[in-house]
Structures are given as structure tokens and as C-alpha cells.
């Protein structure tokens, strides 16, 4: 058996474990260089709930970062370089 057949990409694993948001190409460029992007309402959740990470995914399914809301911007917990 081929062990690689059971390997799951980081993007796919993140989609199974976190709320996700697909980042635009421009946002992906910002994320890759550590510049913050606006926190989109689509990432919202319950206003009174404690912050929980959101996986920021590129259009082609790569995991870019895990982020939480920090005011009106996304604060990165981890950025994943390609």
C-alpha cells in the first residue's frame, strides 16, 4: 500500500477542524507577509462567544493562516509559508 494515499493536506485538515474563509489573492499576499487583513463579518460567529480560530484558505485550497478577531482585523495565531 502507498502511504502517501493517506496523507491529507494542511488545507483539507483545517477545513475539517475549523471555521474557514477563502482569502482573495490580494489578502493571501498580505497574510504571507504578516500584514493584517480586515476581519470579515462572514468569519463572525456568536458575538458573546470566546474567540475561536478561523482557518484562512487560499483559492487553491492551501492553508495560509489560523486567525482570531482582534478589533476590526484578523490577528494571526500562525502563518503557514508555502
Amino acid at each position: 500500500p502507498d502511504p502517501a494515499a493517506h496523507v491529507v493536506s494542511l488545507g483539507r485538515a483545517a477545513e475539517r477542524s475549523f471555521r474557514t474563509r477563502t482569502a482573495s489573492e490580494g489578502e493571501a499576499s498580505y497574510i504571507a507577509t504578516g500584514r493584517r487583513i480586515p476581519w470579515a463579518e462572514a468569519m463572525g460567529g456568536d458575538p458573546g462567544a470566546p474567540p475561536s480560530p478561523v482557518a484562512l484558505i487560499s483559492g487553491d485550497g492551501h492553508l495560509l493562516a489560523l486567525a482570531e478577531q482582534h478589533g476590526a482585523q484578523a490577528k494571526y495565531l500562525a502563518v503557514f509559508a508555502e
Side-chain angles (χ1 to χ4, degrees), residues 17 29 33 73:
S17 303
S29 172
T33 58
Q73 296 184 323

Side-chain angles (χ1 to χ4, degrees), residues 21-68:
R21 176 173 174 259
T22 301
S24 69
E25 284 186 38
E27 290 172 328
S29 172
Y30 271 54
I31 294 166
T33 58
R35 292 179 287 173
R36 292 186 179 180
I37 61 171
W39 186 263
E41 289 302 317
M43 294 191 283
D46 295 331
S52 61
V54 171
L56 301 175
I57 308 287
S58 68
D60 58 359
H62 288 94
L63 176 61
L64 300 170
L66 292 177
E68 288 182 341

